[in-house]
Amino acid sequence: MRDKADYARKGIARGRSCVALQYAGGILLVAPNPSSALHKISEIYDRIGFAAVGRYNEYENLRKAGVTYADITGYQFDRHDVTARGIANWYAQTLGTIFTESPKPFEVEIVVAEVGANPADDQIYRITFDGSVTDEPGFVAFGGQADQVSAALKERYSDDMSLSEAFAAALAALSAPGNGERTEFAAAQLEVAILDRVRDHRTFRRIRGARLEALLAEARPAPAAEAAEADEDSSGAGPSGAGPSGSAPSGSAPDSSGPSSPNGPSSPSSPSDTEPPTGPAPGGSDRGSGLDGGSPL
């Protein structure tokens, strides 16, 4: 049993982490996924979403079985009887049986999320390869380097975030060190979906195209603005120290240049001593060098 557990953990850790978190308007699901056809995030039922990491063929079979279970339950009883808790328990029983009875365990981790009429009714459940199920209030990171991603997400998560704030927090957590080599994602490398609280009947909706590009643009200006402020602070510190010191040496400089006054127009060859610097040298970069081009960041 221990060997099977180690085998499953290593298989899951080879993938990239995914996150699910609540925001003011519902539940956000974000997964790094360069494929546009093989989805990690899908819809299970009217207000219930599904996300998974691991082997695609294994969690895709589980997704289809979950959809069948939800449809049959809703048909036999009532649509309101289909809940994320019921589906999570069914997944836990299925994965537990596979883990104990099959020679090879499933290398998957699953999250089942349900959006309620208000944030207090939202439900997020995490089901592991051995059939363990846990209730995750607020947010959850699973698969890959989940511990590092969860720690980074915990620092940025807060209640009643907007969609753009929640997406920025998820993107920053997925880009945390330790979660693979890539630290920045393009729109084509992300799979994003939401369970929209205000929508009637089917709340699942994918975010792609221009809307995803807009969310990425909103999530990235903050670091750029901080860098610009830091550049302004450093550029402001340069003239303040250079002004007095620049004028003082200019008084002693004429001792050597005084005799050569015929070249007077060219002798004040240090306008930079009296004029404040305006930024990096032409062709230079704002990152990595100070105003004097000396100290790298």
Side-chain angles (χ1 to χ4, degrees):
M1 299 294 285
R2 183 166 53 249
D3 291 342
K4 288 198 291 185
D6 292 340
Y7 175 84
R9 289 193 187 96
K10 290 178 181 178
I12 295 169
R14 284 194 293 266
R16 298 298 301 269
S17 299
C18 304
V19 297
L21 66 158
Q22 291 177 267
Y23 70 100
I27 297 176
L28 172 67
L29 305 167
V30 183
N33 186 9
S35 175
S36 60
L38 307 179
H39 297 301
K40 294 182 178 180
I41 301 172
S42 301
E43 181 183 18
I44 289 286
Y45 210 59
D46 294 346
R47 306 181 71 85
I48 302 173
F50 170 95
V53 294
R55 284 188 174 272
Y56 175 79
N57 63 319
E58 293 178 348
Y59 67 69
E60 178 64 10
N61 289 335
L62 291 171
R63 184 194 67 83
K64 292 179 180 178
V67 171
T68 302
Y69 168 82
D71 286 340
I72 292 175
T73 302
Y75 179 77
Q76 289 179 337
F77 303 99
D78 187 82
R79 300 187 73 87
H80 296 287
D81 292 329
V82 182
T83 63
R85 182 174 59 183
I87 295 175
N89 289 332
W90 184 84
Y91 276 138
Q93 295 173 10
T94 302
L95 284 173
T97 301
I98 293 172
F99 181 74
T100 55
E101 297 181 0
S102 174
K104 177 195 173 300
F106 274 18
E107 302 170 54
V108 298
E109 280 194 19
I110 295 172
V111 160
V112 178
E114 179 180 3
V115 64
N118 55 72
D121 297 331
D122 292 346
Q123 301 176 31
I124 301 176
Y125 297 97
R126 178 184 182 183
I127 307 98
T128 57
F129 60 88
D130 60 352
S132 301
V133 56
T134 56
D135 180 15
E136 303 286 352
F139 65 90
V140 61
F142 57 104
Q145 305 299 321
D147 293 338
Q148 290 89 333
V149 176
S150 181
L153 188 58
K154 185 177 181 180
E155 296 177 357
R156 295 169 173 82
Y157 177 80
S158 61
D159 295 332
D160 297 328
M161 292 190 299
S162 65
L163 177 58
S164 59
E165 292 172 343
F167 180 77
L171 191 65
L174 290 173
S175 303
N179 188 34
E181 298 179 357
R182 190 181 301 276
T183 58
E184 292 187 1
F185 296 99
Q189 298 166 332
L190 290 172
E191 183 177 0
V192 183
I194 61 172
L195 297 173
D196 194 348
R197 194 186 318 281
V198 300
R199 295 187 71 181
D200 295 331
H201 194 43
R202 299 180 65 179
T203 63
F204 183 86
R205 181 163 60 93
R206 295 190 183 276
I207 297 179
R208 61 182 74 182
R211 179 54 176 150
L212 181 55
E213 293 283 0
L215 284 176
L216 282 170
E218 292 174 6
R220 287 172 177 166
E226 293 176 1
E229 292 177 0
D231 290 341
E232 291 177 2
D233 293 341
S234 61
S235 63
S240 62
S245 61
S247 59
S250 63
S252 58
D255 293 341
S256 59
S257 61
S260 60
S261 58
N263 295 330
S266 60
S267 60
S269 59
S270 59
S272 60
D273 293 339
T274 57
E275 297 179 2
T278 58
S285 172
D286 289 337
R287 297 184 301 175
S289 60
L291 292 173
D292 57 355
S295 57
L297 296 179

Short mmCIF file of all heavy atoms in Angstrom, two decimals, residues 42 59 79 87 100 115 148 162 179 202 263 273 275 287:
data_model
loop_
_atom_site.label_atom_id
_atom_site.label_comp_id
_atom_site.label_asym_id
_atom_site.label_seq_id
_atom_site.Cartn_x
_atom_site.Cartn_y
_atom_site.Cartn_z
N SER A 42 -14.02 21.18 -16.17
CA SER A 42 -15.25 20.88 -16.90
C SER A 42 -16.46 21.10 -16.01
O SER A 42 -16.34 21.40 -14.82
CB SER A 42 -15.24 19.44 -17.43
OG SER A 42 -14.14 19.21 -18.28
N TYR A 59 -8.57 10.67 -15.21
CA TYR A 59 -9.56 11.61 -14.66
C TYR A 59 -10.65 11.94 -15.67
O TYR A 59 -11.75 12.37 -15.27
CB TYR A 59 -8.90 12.86 -14.08
CG TYR A 59 -8.21 13.80 -15.04
CD1 TYR A 59 -8.91 14.56 -15.98
CD2 TYR A 59 -6.84 14.00 -14.96
CE1 TYR A 59 -8.28 15.45 -16.81
CE2 TYR A 59 -6.19 14.90 -15.79
CZ TYR A 59 -6.92 15.63 -16.70
OH TYR A 59 -6.28 16.51 -17.53
N ARG A 79 -33.47 17.64 -9.21
CA ARG A 79 -32.22 18.30 -9.58
C ARG A 79 -31.52 18.90 -8.37
O ARG A 79 -30.30 19.00 -8.33
CB ARG A 79 -32.49 19.38 -10.63
CG ARG A 79 -33.12 18.85 -11.92
CD ARG A 79 -33.19 19.94 -12.98
NE ARG A 79 -31.87 20.25 -13.53
CZ ARG A 79 -31.34 19.61 -14.54
NH1 ARG A 79 -31.99 18.59 -15.12
NH2 ARG A 79 -30.16 19.96 -15.00
N ILE A 87 -21.45 14.13 -4.94
CA ILE A 87 -20.53 13.70 -6.00
C ILE A 87 -19.14 13.46 -5.44
O ILE A 87 -18.46 12.50 -5.82
CB ILE A 87 -20.51 14.76 -7.12
CG1 ILE A 87 -21.89 14.85 -7.79
CG2 ILE A 87 -19.44 14.44 -8.15
CD1 ILE A 87 -22.00 15.95 -8.82
N THR A 100 -7.37 0.33 -3.24
CA THR A 100 -7.18 -0.87 -2.43
C THR A 100 -7.21 -2.15 -3.24
O THR A 100 -6.50 -3.12 -2.92
CB THR A 100 -8.24 -0.93 -1.33
OG1 THR A 100 -9.55 -0.87 -1.92
CG2 THR A 100 -8.08 0.22 -0.35
N VAL A 115 -21.31 26.26 -6.54
CA VAL A 115 -21.59 27.63 -6.19
C VAL A 115 -23.01 27.72 -5.64
O VAL A 115 -23.94 27.11 -6.18
CB VAL A 115 -21.41 28.56 -7.41
CG1 VAL A 115 -22.40 28.23 -8.52
CG2 VAL A 115 -21.52 30.02 -7.01
N GLN A 148 3.65 24.68 -1.98
CA GLN A 148 4.18 26.00 -2.28
C GLN A 148 3.11 26.91 -2.86
O GLN A 148 3.01 28.09 -2.50
CB GLN A 148 5.35 25.91 -3.26
CG GLN A 148 6.61 25.28 -2.69
CD GLN A 148 6.64 23.77 -2.85
OE1 GLN A 148 5.59 23.13 -2.92
NE2 GLN A 148 7.83 23.20 -2.92
N SER A 162 -12.90 40.64 -6.05
CA SER A 162 -13.50 40.69 -7.38
C SER A 162 -12.88 39.60 -8.25
O SER A 162 -11.89 38.96 -7.87
CB SER A 162 -13.26 42.06 -8.01
OG SER A 162 -11.87 42.27 -8.22
N ASN A 179 6.98 25.75 -8.52
CA ASN A 179 5.89 25.14 -9.28
C ASN A 179 6.29 25.03 -10.75
O ASN A 179 5.60 25.48 -11.65
CB ASN A 179 4.60 25.95 -9.15
CG ASN A 179 3.42 25.24 -9.78
OD1 ASN A 179 3.34 24.02 -9.75
ND2 ASN A 179 2.49 26.00 -10.34
N ARG A 202 -27.52 26.82 -15.57
CA ARG A 202 -26.13 26.40 -15.75
C ARG A 202 -25.20 27.59 -15.48
O ARG A 202 -25.19 28.57 -16.23
CB ARG A 202 -25.91 25.85 -17.15
CG ARG A 202 -26.77 24.64 -17.46
CD ARG A 202 -26.55 24.12 -18.86
NE ARG A 202 -25.20 23.62 -19.04
CZ ARG A 202 -24.76 23.08 -20.18
NH1 ARG A 202 -25.56 23.00 -21.22
NH2 ARG A 202 -23.52 22.63 -20.27
N ASN A 263 38.67 77.84 -25.37
CA ASN A 263 37.68 76.79 -25.63
C ASN A 263 36.55 76.89 -24.61
O ASN A 263 36.07 75.90 -24.12
CB ASN A 263 38.33 75.40 -25.55
CG ASN A 263 39.35 75.20 -26.63
OD1 ASN A 263 39.21 75.77 -27.70
ND2 ASN A 263 40.38 74.40 -26.36
N ASP A 273 26.24 67.49 -14.53
CA ASP A 273 26.42 67.83 -13.13
C ASP A 273 25.36 68.80 -12.65
O ASP A 273 25.11 68.91 -11.46
CB ASP A 273 27.81 68.45 -12.91
CG ASP A 273 28.90 67.42 -13.13
OD1 ASP A 273 28.58 66.22 -13.04
OD2 ASP A 273 30.05 67.82 -13.39
N GLU A 275 22.23 69.28 -14.53
CA GLU A 275 20.91 68.87 -14.96
C GLU A 275 20.57 67.52 -14.36
O GLU A 275 21.40 66.62 -14.34
CB GLU A 275 20.85 68.76 -16.48
CG GLU A 275 21.10 70.10 -17.18
CD GLU A 275 21.05 69.96 -18.68
OE1 GLU A 275 20.78 68.83 -19.13
OE2 GLU A 275 21.29 70.95 -19.38
N ARG A 287 15.74 47.80 -15.94
CA ARG A 287 15.96 46.76 -14.94
C ARG A 287 17.43 46.41 -14.88
O ARG A 287 18.09 46.26 -15.89
CB ARG A 287 15.16 45.50 -15.27
CG ARG A 287 13.66 45.73 -15.27
CD ARG A 287 12.92 44.44 -15.51
NE ARG A 287 13.30 43.86 -16.78
CZ ARG A 287 12.89 42.67 -17.21
NH1 ARG A 287 12.11 41.94 -16.43
NH2 ARG A 287 13.26 42.19 -18.37
#
